[in-house]
Each structure stands twice: as C-alpha cells, then as structure tokens.
C-alpha cells in the first residue's frame, strides 16, 4: 500500500459481490487508476476489508491442511508465516472486555461534574423514568416530540464513537464524545449544521398505519449500538407510532467496528452479565481510588443497576417476540452470504440499491422510516462525491430520493457534506475548523417518501 502497488484481484471464495469488485478493478486498470493512491478512495477502503477477509478465510482453510501434516515442514513454516499476516488480531478476553467497558462503563464518581458523565446506567435510569410516566407521555404529542429530539441527538452523538477513526483519543476524549445529557445536547445544537429533527417527528406522527416498521442501517458496535437500542426502545415502547424495528448489520468485519450478527447477538447477554456489569458494591473511604480500585468500581447505584437489567430484559423480550429483529438470522456466521445484507459491504453507492439488491430495496420500500447511521453510510448515500455544500440532500442521494423515508444521522468524519449554506461552510473554513472531518459537527438529514 505504502508503495502505491496495484490492487490485486480478490480471490473468489463464493462470497457476494467479489465479481463486482474484480470487474471494477479491471475497469480501473484500463483507466490506469488501479493503484492504492489512484483508485477512488471509497472503493479502495471497501476493497481493503473485503480483500483482507477473503484472503484470511482462504489461508485459514489452508491451515487445516498444514496442521493435518499433509505438507513438508518447510512448507508448513511458510504457510504459518503467511497466516500470521492475515489472521485478524483479536484482543484477549480481558483486553476485549476492557475495550468495550471503556465505551460503555461510566466515568469515575469523582469526575461526575464533567460533561461526559452521562453513560449506560444513566440512560437506563432515564428510560425507567419514562416508564413511570408512560401513559401520560403517550397522550402528549408535544412532550413526546421533545423526547424524540433528545433521542435523536443521543443516537447522533453516539456515532462519534468510531473505533476506526478515534484510535488516537484518550478515555476522557471518548467519554466526552459520548456525552448525551440535556445540557450537552443544548450546547451542541450549534454543531448540528443541518437539522431536520422537526421534519422527522412530523413525518412519524403523520403515519396512519397501525403496523409501522422502522429500519436501522447500523454503523458501530459498542456504545453506538447501545444508543441504537435505546432509540429503538423509545420508538416502540413510548410512542404510538412504531410497532417494530429491523436492524441491518454487516456480514464481514467492516471498517473495524461495524456491527456484525455476532456483535448484535452478544450485546444483550453482555449487558445482563454480572461479570460484565457487576452489581454495585460499597467503596470504602473518601480518598480517590487507585487504578486497581477504579477497575473494580461498580457501574452505578443499586437501583440504576436494576434499571439497566429491566431495560435490557425488555429488549430481549422484544427480540423473542419479533418486535426487534435482525435482517438476517442471529446466528449468521461471518462471511456467510445473504441477499438481505450482502449489499452493505459492496463498494457500490446506495444509488444502486434497487438494481444490485432488489430484495433489500423492496423491504425498505415498505418501511415507515429508514435510519442510516454514521459517516460511511452517508458517503454511500451521496455517492462519496465532493458536492458543493449547498447541494440539497435529496439531490445528492440521487434515485433513492422519495423511494422510502430516509433519515441520515452522521457526525462529520469525511469531506463530503451537503445540505448546508455556503456561508456557514465559508465561516468554518475561515476559522480554521476541520469541521468536515473532526467529528465535532453533525448532520441530521431527512427526505420523505414521495
């Protein structure tokens, strides 16, 4: 990659869209744009993950022969060296748990005055308080509308936690980005450069069907998936407008941290696990705990731990009853092709959804609202073209506009931005803000069905 070598054809192991990738490679080769530095950036990014997954799978199959002893010692050593390059490096169980806990656990009690103090158990407490007032809320559209905006912003800023882009940030930086409290939302209002929240709520309240489905095209696992669950819970539990939610994952490891079926399936058991989120234990003394004590701190007060269990148990019941569902079977293994999800890991813009994935398109066409999470989904919706910033969002999404109601929740981490005034963009540019890529600014973009 660093030497700008040509992109190699992807070995065809039967997975979906390999032929599409290789056909595009041939076209790029004819145009002399088939190296790492000359290929279209979005294509090269997508190619990297597909190539890595495919080659890794093939070499793991080869390893079965290696360890059965059917080749020479020299060949065995060579293959093992190759395998070591392509195996996906997974953290140990302890390290993996700590990395997830960093994304999901609260900050230390003596730092609760920081803006990053709202966390998993506080969201659970908030949902518990909604449960107490549920009947009153359902009959009060104005209050529901206010809460709906809070939920959208929670879900929006939860997207700021992207492991593929934030590897340089400290624990405190990540926690700050995950702040979803009311004060933080108000402070961040100026950072939402395009804000269609009112239009989305008006759309939902106008739906006359008694059996409305909302679809989430997911982005990151970890904290962001947790906020997606919370938003989905709010929609089906506390509003009269939504009956069920369908979540759409990726079928291969994708852009480091995107949700796979395994991520989705493990989230609820992890949240219910007393090992993962231990019940509270008293912490003696008033002194600031040391590092070891911090790791052992309980996630919350006893009642908040119970709120979390109650909320997540409700989610499990929704999965069991079909109120929440994954677009593919929960036990789908990595790399298993499925026409209901293959398109999400192709290199094609979402303009091609109807042609390349008619089954997915037809399903989304029946949806009451399709929520696209995150930066990559936004880039694919807009074709990853550097449009003038004042280009209307509905123009940039091309043939998808009007096909079904689309809501894009995106914190800016790439150059493509549409739907804002040139004046705002110029002002941010003059101020020296890296507003297109630093994750500090966001877009809430909505296009209704026509």
């Amino acid at each position: 990659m660093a030497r700008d070598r040509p992109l190699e054809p992807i070995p065809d192991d039967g997975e979906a869209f390999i032929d599409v990738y290789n056909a595009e490679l041939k076209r790029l080769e004819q145009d002399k744009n088939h190296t790492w530095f000359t290929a279209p950036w979005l294509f090269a990014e997508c190619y990297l993950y597909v190539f890595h997954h495919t080659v890794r799978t093939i070499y793991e199959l080869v390893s079965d022969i290696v360890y059965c002893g059917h080749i020479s010692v020299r060949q065995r050593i060579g293959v093992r060296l190759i395998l070591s390059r392509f195996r996906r490096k997974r953290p140990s169980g302890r390290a993996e748990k700590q990395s997830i806990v960093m994304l999901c656990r609260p900050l230390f009690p003596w730092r609760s005055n920081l803006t990053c103090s709202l966390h998993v158990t506080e969201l659970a407490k908030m949902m518990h308080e909604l449960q107490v007032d549920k009947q009153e809320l359902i009959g009060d559209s104005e209050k529901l509308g206010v809460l709906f905006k809070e939920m959208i912003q929670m879900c929006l800023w939860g997207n700021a936690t992207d492991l593929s882009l934030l590897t340089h940030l400290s624990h405190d930086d990540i926690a700050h980005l995950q702040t979803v409290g009311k004060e933080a939302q108000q402070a961040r209002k100026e950072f939402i450069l395009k804000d269609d929240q009112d239009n989305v709520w008006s759309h939902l309240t106008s739906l006359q069907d008694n059996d409305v489905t909302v679809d989430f095209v997911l982005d990151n696992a970890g904290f962001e998936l947790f906020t997606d669950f919370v938003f989905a819970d709010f929609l089906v539990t506390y509003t009269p407008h939504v009956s069920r939610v369908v979540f759409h994952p990726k079928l291969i490891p994708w852009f480091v941290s995107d949700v796979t079926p395994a991520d989705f399936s493990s989230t609820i058991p992890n949240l219910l696990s007393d090992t993962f989120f231990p019940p509270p234990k008293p912490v003696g003394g008033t002194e600031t705990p040391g590092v070891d004590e911090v790791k052992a701190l309980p996630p919350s007060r006893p009642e908040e731990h119970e709120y979390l269990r109650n909320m997540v148990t409700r989610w499990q019941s929704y999965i069991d009853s079909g109120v929440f569902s994954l677009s593919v079977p929960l036990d789908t293994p990595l790399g298993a092709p499925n026409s209901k999800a293959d398109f999400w890991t192709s290199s094609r813009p979402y303009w091609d959804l109807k042609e390349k994935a008619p089954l997915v398109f037809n399903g989304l066409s029946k949806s009451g609202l399709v929520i696209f999470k995150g930066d990559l989904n936004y880039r694919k919706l807009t074709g990853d073209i550097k449009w003038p910033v004042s280009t209307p969002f509905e123009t940039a999404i091309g043939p998808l506009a009007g096909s079904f109601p689309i809501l894009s929740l995106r914190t800016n981490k790439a150059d493509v931005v549409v739907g804002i005034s040139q004046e705002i963009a110029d002002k941010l540019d003059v101020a020296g803000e890296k507003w297109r890529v630093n994750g500090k600014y966001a877009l809430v973009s909505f296009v209704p069905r026509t």
Side-chain angles (χ1 to χ4, degrees):
M1 185 185 298
R3 298 179 181 179
D4 195 26
R5 298 283 175 80
L7 304 179
E8 302 175 24
I10 301 173
D12 191 348
D13 65 347
E15 291 188 17
F17 283 93
I18 299 298
D19 57 335
V20 176
Y21 275 98
N22 287 334
E24 181 66 8
L25 272 177
K26 286 185 178 179
R27 186 189 69 78
L28 291 172
E29 184 176 4
Q30 292 173 354
D31 296 338
K32 307 299 183 184
N33 291 324
H34 64 300
T35 67
W36 284 104
F37 293 173
T38 59
W41 182 235
L42 180 60
F43 175 83
E45 287 180 284
C46 295
Y47 163 90
L48 174 65
Y49 287 93
V50 173
F51 183 85
H52 179 274
H53 175 72
T54 303
V55 173
R56 172 178 172 264
T57 301
I58 290 173
Y59 277 111
E60 286 186 344
L61 290 174
V62 173
S63 72
D64 291 340
I65 301 174
V66 173
Y67 295 114
C68 286
H70 296 313
I71 59 179
S72 70
V73 173
R74 179 177 293 181
Q75 289 171 321
R76 202 173 303 170
I77 293 172
V79 173
R80 282 175 175 165
L81 288 172
I82 294 171
L83 279 171
S84 68
R85 295 177 56 196
F86 289 101
R87 280 203 181 100
R88 184 185 183 190
K89 297 295 183 182
R90 295 188 60 85
S92 66
R94 180 179 178 184
E96 184 172 25
K97 176 185 172 184
Q98 287 178 346
S99 68
I100 298 173
V101 166
M102 182 178 71
L103 294 175
C104 298
R105 290 282 298 274
L107 294 184
F108 314 141
W110 62 89
R111 309 178 83 166
S112 59
N113 60 319
L114 298 178
T115 57
C116 47
S117 62
L118 193 56
H119 43 68
V120 167
T121 52
E122 289 180 346
L123 286 173
K125 179 182 178 182
M126 177 188 68
M127 297 300 278
H128 168 78
E129 292 169 349
L130 294 184
Q131 185 70 23
V132 173
D133 300 326
K134 180 177 178 180
Q135 293 308 316
E136 178 185 349
L137 281 173
I138 289 178
D140 192 330
S141 181
E142 185 175 348
K143 285 184 179 179
L144 276 180
V146 172
L147 287 169
F148 177 77
K149 289 183 182 179
E150 291 188 14
M151 291 292 170
I152 276 195
Q153 291 191 47
M154 171 206 65
C155 212
L156 172 69
W157 295 113
N159 171 249
T161 301
D162 185 333
L163 297 184
S164 70
L165 297 166
L166 303 181
T167 54
H168 63 289
L169 295 184
S170 68
H171 183 178
D172 288 351
D173 293 328
I174 292 176
H176 177 73
L177 287 169
Q178 291 173 344
T179 305
V180 289
K182 295 179 183 178
E183 292 183 6
Q185 290 177 5
Q186 187 62 32
R188 281 178 169 159
K189 191 173 182 180
E190 64 179 291
F191 298 109
I192 301 178
L193 301 178
K194 178 174 175 56
D195 189 354
D196 286 341
Q197 293 179 83
D198 288 331
N199 294 338
V200 182
W201 180 242
S202 295
H203 164 74
L204 277 181
T205 57
S206 71
L207 296 175
Q208 301 300 316
D209 194 340
N210 293 324
D211 189 24
V212 172
T213 297
V214 167
D215 291 80
F216 279 71
V217 181
L218 296 170
D219 192 22
N220 296 298
F223 185 80
E224 184 177 351
L225 178 58
F226 178 83
T227 64
D228 294 337
F229 269 118
V230 172
F231 190 18
D233 187 12
F234 171 77
L235 291 173
V236 301
T237 305
Y238 302 106
T239 82
H241 309 300
V242 179
S243 302
R244 64 177 56 84
V245 173
V246 178
F247 298 91
H248 299 261
K250 310 302 192 301
L251 297 185
I252 64 172
W254 191 247
F255 283 70
V256 179
S257 51
D258 278 32
V259 178
T260 65
D263 295 321
F264 186 91
S265 298
S266 65
T267 296
I268 288 178
N270 282 338
L271 289 168
L272 290 174
S273 168
D274 284 342
T275 301
F276 197 87
F277 276 101
K281 296 178 183 178
V283 178
T286 58
E287 295 182 2
T288 299
V291 174
D292 292 338
E293 291 177 276
V294 164
K295 291 179 181 178
L297 282 174
S300 63
R301 293 183 292 274
E303 65 273 17
E304 291 180 346
H305 184 267
E306 191 61 27
Y307 299 156
L308 177 63
R309 291 192 66 84
N310 291 342
M311 178 180 70
V312 178
T313 299
R314 180 169 64 247
W315 298 352
Q316 183 62 61
S317 73
Y318 284 165
I319 289 176
D320 294 340
S321 64
V323 174
F324 287 175
S325 63
L326 203 62
S327 63
V328 299
L330 290 170
D331 59 355
T332 301
L334 284 178
N338 190 306
S339 56
K340 291 184 177 180
D342 292 330
F343 181 76
W344 305 125
T345 51
S346 76
S347 61
R348 305 306 303 162
Y350 292 166
W351 303 341
D352 296 345
L353 183 62
K354 186 175 183 179
E355 176 190 353
K356 300 295 185 181
L359 187 63
V360 176
F361 180 87
N362 291 338
L364 297 182
S365 297
K366 302 171 186 175
S367 181
L369 180 67
V370 183
I371 302 174
F372 289 89
K373 294 295 306 295
D375 192 72
L376 179 61
N377 281 325
Y378 184 90
R379 292 169 63 193
K380 286 194 165 190
L381 281 168
T382 59
D384 204 39
I385 292 174
K386 195 170 182 179
W387 300 92
V389 294
S390 59
T391 305
F393 181 64
E394 54 268 32
T395 299
I397 64 175
L400 276 188
S403 300
F404 42 82
I406 292 173
L407 171 62
S408 169
L409 300 179
R410 182 251 191 153
T411 53
N412 296 358
K413 301 169 193 169
D415 289 331
V416 183
V417 174
V418 297
I420 69 171
S421 72
Q422 187 65 52
E423 181 182 358
I424 290 175
D426 292 342
K427 182 179 178 180
L428 291 169
D429 288 336
V430 169
E433 289 265 24
K434 295 181 179 180
W435 61 276
R436 294 175 181 265
V437 298
N438 61 10
K440 181 179 177 181
Y441 293 87
L443 306 167
V444 178
S445 306
F446 174 70
V447 174
R449 189 198 317 269
T450 55

